[in-house]
Amino acid sequence: MKVSRINIQVLLVVVVGILSISDGIETDKFRAPKLKPRKYLAISCRNHSASITDFGGVGDGKTSNTKAFKAAVEHLSKFANSGGAELVVPAGRWLTGSFNLTSYFTLFLAEGAVILGTEDPSEWPLISVLPSYGRGRDAPGNGSRYSALIYGTNLTDVVVTGNNGTIDGQGQIWWDKFHNDQLNYTRPYMIEILFSDRVQISNLTLLNSPSWFVHPVYSSNIIIKGLRIVAPYNPVSPNTDGIDPDSCTNTLIEDCYIESGDDCVAVKSGWDQYGIAVGMPTTKLLVRRVTCVSPDSAGIALGSEMSGGIQDVRVEDFTAINTQAGVRIKTAIGRGGYVKDVFMRRMVMKTMKYVLWMTGAYGSHPDESFDPKAIPVINNINYIDMVAENVNMTANLAGLAGHPFTGICLSNVAVGMSVKPKKIQWNCTDIEGTAHNVTPQTCSLLPDGNEANAGCHFPTDRLPIEDLPLKLCTHRST
Ligand SMILES: *[C@@H]1O[C@H](CO)[C@@H](O)[C@H](O)[C@H]1NC(C)=O
Ligand SMILES: *[C@@H]1O[C@H](CO)[C@@H](O)[C@H](O)[C@H]1NC(C)=O
Ligand SMILES: *[C@@H]1O[C@H](CO)[C@@H](O)[C@H](O)[C@H]1NC(C)=O
Ligand SMILES: *[C@@H]1O[C@H](CO)[C@@H](O)[C@H](O)[C@H]1NC(C)=O
Ligand SMILES: *[C@@H]1O[C@H](CO)[C@@H](O)[C@H](O)[C@H]1NC(C)=O
Ligand SMILES: *[C@@H]1O[C@H](CO)[C@@H](O)[C@H](O)[C@H]1NC(C)=O
Ligand SMILES: *[C@@H]1O[C@H](CO)[C@@H](O)[C@H](O)[C@H]1NC(C)=O
Ligand SMILES: *[C@@H]1O[C@H](CO)[C@@H](O)[C@H](O)[C@H]1NC(C)=O
Ligand SMILES: *[C@@H]1O[C@H](CO)[C@@H](O)[C@H](O)[C@H]1NC(C)=O
């Protein structure tokens, strides 16, 4: 199965063409929300605005607003051809089940607004499992899984933002089901956007997701910034990854604080034979100015699901405090795919078991039908200008026997030990690479060249997403 990317430009021309011959532009019959005009930065501003209260929403923390959100999105989707629409969620506590986003649409959470994920299981509909995963991660689910709280598929130009409003997934009931082995379908994510182009998620506090927090998948041109993501540490909140760019192209993640029960940023592209069949890599990803706290997991993880390939990942000015690892690459025989051209610089790391960790034998297969000949290729991984302190072991790097991980390059890396560090600081098997100015002394598979290493570099070009202009928008009505 090959999922083809929609040609957005062609689609836009077709949509605009069809709409311009329909009977005129509809006016917004709803009044503008009574809020102070507020400015915010977004990829697009909207010509129409409404409040969730216009659709019967009640912000008392008890009334279900699932129908109000559905009605609001359905109504506001009609403005796609007349400048798009913004749905404002004012201060209050807005309980809801899953709802879907639409195109040319902004969901804006005002200061003091809290969207609460309902604890009523009937308000979490089932949808299809992801084609590149073939099953739910917690349970096979017969092809079904729970929808994310905020879900969007096949969209163009969608923004979820606010003045630091909050989305609280109230994940405890889901974490309990996970721990008690009571899940027939895999848990919901908090925000999931599929097959979409031009996506922004920004200026929000996200709490207690049932599972992963932010999951853009099969999408392009994505900006994720200014998020504060918090869940209890593992084992209380299992698999609460912060941000998981998955089979996405041209993604910017910046200025986020993430404290959770799993990897803070986990770069993915599908699982074994399902990911290989879909064949959509994650490419052109930039992660910068992110702070991570996650004692059981990694600051940045690549994989373990990477079967569609991961290429051109740039990470800079990343801080990891009290994590298990700083950077982790995890894969397995059967994954196929690749992780290549990864560039990380100016990471600051404090208190962890491993600074650098690579695992070729991660295991974890969707089913027994994975291809044992599907060998992942790991190549050209650069770690530049890094400092770490209070570390037990500098690096645990294990490639695959007969299929070494190659092109590992370290330059200017200084690791300071904990009070009781491991005797072995570098544990290297089935890897190849070079080092320059690295302390403590590297393993023999990463000989220290003691001279500038031409292969160890950070790209000098910019990713297209860095130049996508943000506009200064205000709440407005027509
Ligand atoms: C949206 O509003 C702007 C500013 O008022 C206007 O220039 C533009 O034509 C409108 N867009 C559409 C599609 O109606
Ligand atoms: C959201 O859209 C998907 C795909 O069209 C659909 O399967 C799902 O039922 C919708 N969810 C809700 C809550 O309406
Ligand atoms: C969304 O787009 C994908 C890829 O083009 C397509 O396979 C899928 O059927 C579309 N889904 C919907 C609900 O339109
Ligand atoms: C957002 O709100 C939380 C409290 O809900 C606060 O801790 C945090 O500092 C705020 N972030 C910003 C950028 O204002
Ligand atoms: C899971 O499925 C089993 C068997 O169909 C059923 O007895 C159980 O109630 C289901 N559990 C949940 C949490 O829905
Ligand atoms: C999956 O389908 C099988 C066979 O139809 C059925 O026995 C089982 O209960 C189903 N499980 C779930 C979680 O729906
Ligand atoms: C969004 O967050 C950025 C910092 O990430 C801040 O500069 C900006 O003022 C915030 N915008 C709003 C509308 O709160
Ligand atoms: C580092 O080693 C010490 C001593 O064995 C141990 O107590 C501590 O938990 C380890 N730290 C991490 C982050 O694994
Ligand atoms: C070193 O790596 C090997 C191979 O992956 C592993 O078996 C061993 O436990 C590691 N040793 C340490 C001290 O981590």
Side-chain angles (χ1 to χ4, degrees), residues 56 59 389 395:
E389 60 180 88

Side-chain angles (χ1 to χ4, degrees), residues 38-40 162-163 203 226:
R38 239 209 101 85
K39 299 204 182 304
Y40 65 96
N163 180 22
N203 287 67

Side-chain angles (χ1 to χ4, degrees), residues 104-434:
Y104 305 102
F105 177 77
T106 297
L107 178 65
F108 189 96
L109 278 71
E111 190 177 358
V114 183
I115 289 179
L116 294 168
T118 181
E119 297 183 324
D120 175 356
S122 72
E123 295 231 58
W124 297 87
L126 294 174
I127 58 169
S128 300
V129 295
L130 292 161
S132 58
Y133 286 71
R135 54 162 284 174
R137 293 173 87 264
D138 298 328
N142 283 352
S144 295
R145 61 185 183 123
Y146 289 107
S147 170
L149 181 61
I150 298 178
Y151 177 88
T153 190
N154 302 71
L155 304 182
T156 302
D157 190 348
V158 58
V159 176
V160 181
T161 189
N163 180 22
N164 196 21
T166 298
I167 304 171
D168 183 345
Q170 304 205 97
Q172 186 72 54
I173 56 159
W174 298 101
W175 307 333
D176 290 346
K177 281 186 210 284
F178 177 88
H179 287 305
N180 297 330
D181 207 10
Q182 284 172 344
L183 286 163
N184 289 337
Y185 307 100
T186 201
R187 286 166 288 163
Y189 302 136
M190 177 171 277
I191 301 175
E192 182 173 60
I193 313 279
L194 293 78
F195 300 113
S196 297
D197 184 57
R198 288 167 56 85
V199 176
Q200 175 183 341
I201 303 169
S202 61
N203 287 67
L204 298 168
T205 290
L206 308 180
L207 305 175
N208 305 319
S209 178
S211 179
W212 300 352
F213 275 88
V214 179
H215 185 216
V217 54
Y218 322 128
S219 295
S220 52
N221 301 314
I222 302 151
I223 295 181
I224 296 171
K225 65 187 285 178
L227 299 184
R228 182 174 159 270
I229 294 178
V230 179
Y233 302 145
N234 200 51
V236 178
S237 79
N239 310 112
T240 48
D241 296 14
I243 303 168
D244 290 36
D246 193 349
S247 295
C248 285
T249 299
N250 206 27
T251 305
L252 173 62
I253 298 171
E254 64 182 5
D255 300 314
C256 294
Y257 175 84
I258 303 169
E259 178 186 326
S260 80
D262 210 321
D263 301 326
C264 288
V265 175
V267 186
K268 296 181 185 285
S269 66
W271 203 5
D272 285 6
Q273 68 272 28
Y274 304 102
I276 293 169
V278 169
M280 281 182 84
T282 289
T283 61
K284 295 192 170 66
L285 168 66
L286 172 59
V287 179
R288 63 186 174 198
R289 301 187 302 266
V290 168
T291 296
C292 166
V293 184
S294 184
D296 248 12
S297 302
I300 298 256
L302 299 131
S304 81
E305 304 91 334
M306 39 60 72
S307 302
I310 294 173
Q311 184 170 23
D312 194 352
V313 174
R314 306 161 184 207
V315 179
E316 56 187 357
D317 303 306
F318 191 103
T319 304
I321 303 163
N322 191 13
T323 58
Q324 184 183 33
V327 183
R328 187 169 187 198
I329 297 178
K330 32 187 178 175
T331 187
I333 284 181
R335 289 286 193 281
Y338 50 84
V339 177
K340 59 186 179 190
D341 307 332
V342 174
F343 311 95
M344 309 201 171
R345 70 174 170 191
R346 299 193 304 256
M347 290 185 69
V348 175
M349 293 166 279
K350 190 172 178 178
T351 310
M352 58 193 60
K353 192 169 180 183
Y354 311 120
V355 174
L356 306 178
W357 196 6
M358 293 184 184
T359 311
Y362 191 77
S364 170
H365 300 288
D367 51 49
E368 290 312 307
S369 306
F370 66 89
D371 177 1
K373 292 196 218 65
I375 307 295
V377 173
I378 313 299
N379 175 241
N380 192 21
I381 314 292
N382 299 269
Y383 305 102
I384 305 162
D385 300 338
M386 297 194 162
V387 288
E389 60 180 88
N390 197 20
V391 166
N392 280 0
M393 183 166 171
T394 301
N396 204 352
L397 306 175
L400 285 161
H403 307 279
F405 297 174
T406 56
I408 297 166
C409 187
L410 296 110
S411 174
N412 299 328
V413 176
V415 175
M417 296 304 110
S418 64
V419 181
K420 278 178 80 179
K422 293 264 188 204
K423 279 202 192 75
I424 300 176
Q425 278 301 311
W426 291 81
N427 187 23
C428 304
T429 44
D430 304 302
I431 60 156
E432 293 170 13
T434 54

Side-chain angles (χ1 to χ4, degrees), residues 48-69:
H48 303 263
S49 182
S51 164
I52 189 64
T53 56
D54 297 329
F55 300 87
V58 180
D60 63 359
K62 292 182 209 128
T63 309
S64 170
N65 291 289
T66 313
K67 289 201 174 95
F69 277 110

